[in-house]
Amino acid sequence: MINKRKNTKFKELFSKIMEPIALGILALLFIIPSITVINLEPITKNLKQFTDVLGVTTSSEIIIDLVGGTHEILSGERVYKNDNGEYIYEATLTKRESDFYSKPILRIENRTDEDKNITLLGTTINPTRSDIGLIINNQTYKLQKSNGESQSVEILLKAQSKYDVYLTVESVVGIQFSEDFEMKITVE
Amino acid sequence: MSILLKKALKLSILPAVIMIAGKFVGVMALIIAYNLQFEVGNEVSGIFSTQIFLANESSTLFVNSLSDMAMLVVLGIPTLYMIIRTTVLQSVKNNPRTIAKMVKFNILKWITSSTSTFLKIFIWTTFVLITSIITVSNSLRAESYAWVGIAGGVLSLLCIWGLIKTFEIETDKVYPNSREHSYF
């Protein structure tokens, strides 16, 4: 009789403890599949067969490497090849004070035995009050004026040579928002 | 532990597994069928670190869209089947001519064996809603085709309508209309 009463009390206590745990498990049964499904969504990435470990390689041995590293106004840098065969360099220009900034962004290498031409066209998604340009072999090039007008830059890559590409940003006034910058690189 | 909670736990396992399986099998089947280059890698961001990488944006959009659709189909078909079965059951109950037709085609058992309870339909509809939210948000972020998002939205509306209809049927069982009676 006492044993039976003890058993009933134990069952009651056990069910009281189990109820919130079961509720938690029930919630997890809805949350875990949702997170798993979101995580299973494929992401675009330059895979090794198409690319070099550090950047993008063309079949004609023009190598475009991302320099990487951190910078106070440049973040989220990446370089990839799009469906049209163009190379895209993307980065975010974060908010900044009025100043001149520069960062090495790409290393372009012409491994072929002939000279090659490349065209670079870079713009921010929205018009910006900053002058954006490039420095290649101590030569400055203007990509985008402060009024948002952009122009393409053509560079001759000599055979068997390497070029460091610097991105320059000059803001006359402080910029209080982030901007997405995109540069198309076409190898001819 | 309450019986309702036990039953809810038991009934939630199958749609949860089907939801994950639908997406995973959808992604893998498309990658294999279209011979797409893929990689399974680790990214530090997110709750789970393992992710599937594809070589270009067009194949990512294609795989994501069709795997979302696969997930909607594997969850939507059983849910709609349960809803239709419950609503057909209700209309049959009040119509002796339909009963006669059912008997003639020998499918009365399909209607009378009521395994589709409100709780079951509620749980399956919740999973359909979660799936629809994911597919619609993917479509809005241009990560899947627009028609997949539209299909998800329409399916979720249908399931909500079916759930309300099932709820009405269940409440009719508790408070039956005295002027109507069942023919079986």
Side-chain angles (χ1 to χ4, degrees):
Chain A
M1 189 74 178
I2 297 163
N3 266 347
K4 220 176 180 181
R5 206 177 288 166
K6 264 187 180 176
N7 268 344
T8 322
K9 269 191 175 177
F10 177 75
K11 271 184 185 173
E12 274 175 14
L13 185 75
F14 183 73
S15 92
K16 267 182 189 171
I17 296 166
M18 278 307 286
E19 194 124 338
I21 296 167
L23 272 170
I25 294 167
L26 185 64
L28 282 176
L29 273 171
F30 286 87
I31 295 163
I32 291 172
S34 313
I35 295 169
T36 310
V37 162
I38 292 165
N39 203 69
L40 275 171
E41 283 168 8
I43 295 165
T44 311
K45 190 190 171 190
N46 293 312
L47 302 182
K48 277 174 189 166
Q49 196 182 317
F50 297 141
T51 63
D52 189 69
V53 176
L54 296 169
V56 183
T57 312
T58 69
S59 53
S60 54
E61 292 297 305
I62 298 284
I63 295 173
I64 299 168
D65 279 345
L66 195 69
V67 174
T70 54
H71 190 267
E72 58 178 309
I73 70 148
L74 263 176
S75 63
E77 288 179 286
R78 68 178 189 134
V79 63
Y80 63 91
K81 193 177 181 181
N82 69 10
D83 296 338
N84 302 327
E86 293 166 330
Y87 298 94
I88 309 289
Y89 166 81
E90 283 179 351
T92 305
L93 301 172
T94 53
K95 62 178 185 179
R96 55 199 175 271
E97 288 170 14
S98 59
D99 207 342
F100 179 84
Y101 304 89
S102 78
K103 181 193 181 289
I105 53 167
L106 299 169
R107 169 164 280 195
I108 303 174
E109 196 178 341
N110 181 5
R111 285 191 181 171
T112 62
D113 293 327
E114 52 188 76
D115 295 351
K116 294 264 179 187
N117 268 318
I118 61 161
T119 310
L120 303 112
L121 180 66
T123 54
T124 48
I125 306 297
N126 298 310
T128 172
R129 283 178 292 171
S130 305
D131 281 314
I132 300 172
L134 296 171
I135 300 175
I136 305 168
N137 267 5
N138 294 326
Q139 187 86 35
T140 57
Y141 302 91
K142 196 152 267 185
L143 278 176
Q144 186 175 295
K145 290 178 186 170
S146 54
N147 60 3
E149 194 185 311
S150 60
Q151 59 194 70
S152 63
V153 171
E154 240 181 71
I155 310 283
L156 179 76
L157 301 178
K158 287 188 176 164
Q160 301 292 340
S161 54
K162 285 178 187 173
Y163 297 84
D164 287 321
V165 180
Y166 283 72
L167 184 76
T168 62
V169 179
E170 189 174 9
S171 304
V172 183
V173 289
I175 307 291
Q176 295 304 314
F177 50 87
S178 295
E179 301 157 297
D180 291 325
F181 174 76
E182 189 184 279
M183 183 166 67
K184 280 182 191 166
I185 306 157
T186 317
V187 182
E188 287 157 17
Chain B
M1 197 159 59
S2 73
I3 297 164
L4 183 72
L5 195 56
K6 268 185 198 171
K7 214 170 177 187
L9 271 172
K10 206 176 152 188
L11 291 171
S12 303
I13 295 167
L14 185 64
V17 171
I18 283 178
M19 189 179 170
I20 298 168
K23 181 74 184 179
F24 183 72
V25 173
V27 169
M28 283 303 157
L30 286 163
I31 286 171
I32 293 162
Y34 288 89
N35 200 21
L36 299 170
Q37 195 198 1
F38 81 105
E39 206 175 76
V40 178
N42 290 298
E43 293 274 312
V44 186
S45 60
I47 295 171
F48 300 126
S49 58
T50 308
Q51 276 164 330
I52 298 165
F53 297 109
L54 292 174
N56 57 56
E57 284 183 17
S58 58
S59 49
T60 306
L61 183 70
F62 173 72
V63 171
N64 204 22
S65 304
L66 292 198
S67 59
D68 277 355
M69 197 63 208
M71 193 168 60
L72 276 175
V73 168
V74 293
L75 280 171
I77 288 174
T79 313
L80 288 177
Y81 170 77
M82 283 185 276
I83 289 167
I84 289 166
R85 203 170 148 176
T86 315
T87 47
V88 168
L89 171 79
Q90 183 63 14
S91 67
V92 159
K93 236 167 139 180
N94 303 327
N95 193 339
R97 287 178 76 180
T98 322
I99 286 273
K101 272 183 192 166
M102 288 282 179
V103 174
K104 196 179 167 187
F105 291 116
N106 204 21
I107 53 169
L108 191 66
K109 205 180 171 189
W110 179 71
I111 297 295
T112 51
S113 59
S114 176
T115 51
S116 306
T117 59
F118 174 73
L119 183 65
K120 199 173 179 181
I121 292 170
F122 177 79
I123 287 166
W124 278 80
T125 304
T126 310
F127 276 99
V128 169
L129 280 178
I130 293 168
T131 309
S132 299
I133 290 165
I134 293 169
T135 52
V136 169
S137 77
N138 279 345
S139 294
L140 290 174
R141 286 184 289 134
E143 285 174 7
S144 77
Y145 301 137
W147 60 266
V148 178
I150 293 166
V154 171
L155 182 70
S156 64
L157 287 177
L158 279 174
C159 289
I160 291 168
W161 171 82
L163 184 70
I164 294 166
K165 197 86 186 149
T166 315
F167 183 72
E168 283 174 1
I169 291 164
E170 291 291 320
T171 47
D172 277 350
K173 277 182 195 168
V174 182
Y175 305 107
N177 191 338
S178 56
R179 273 183 279 177
E180 287 175 359
H181 61 264
S182 174
Y183 288 91
F184 59 84

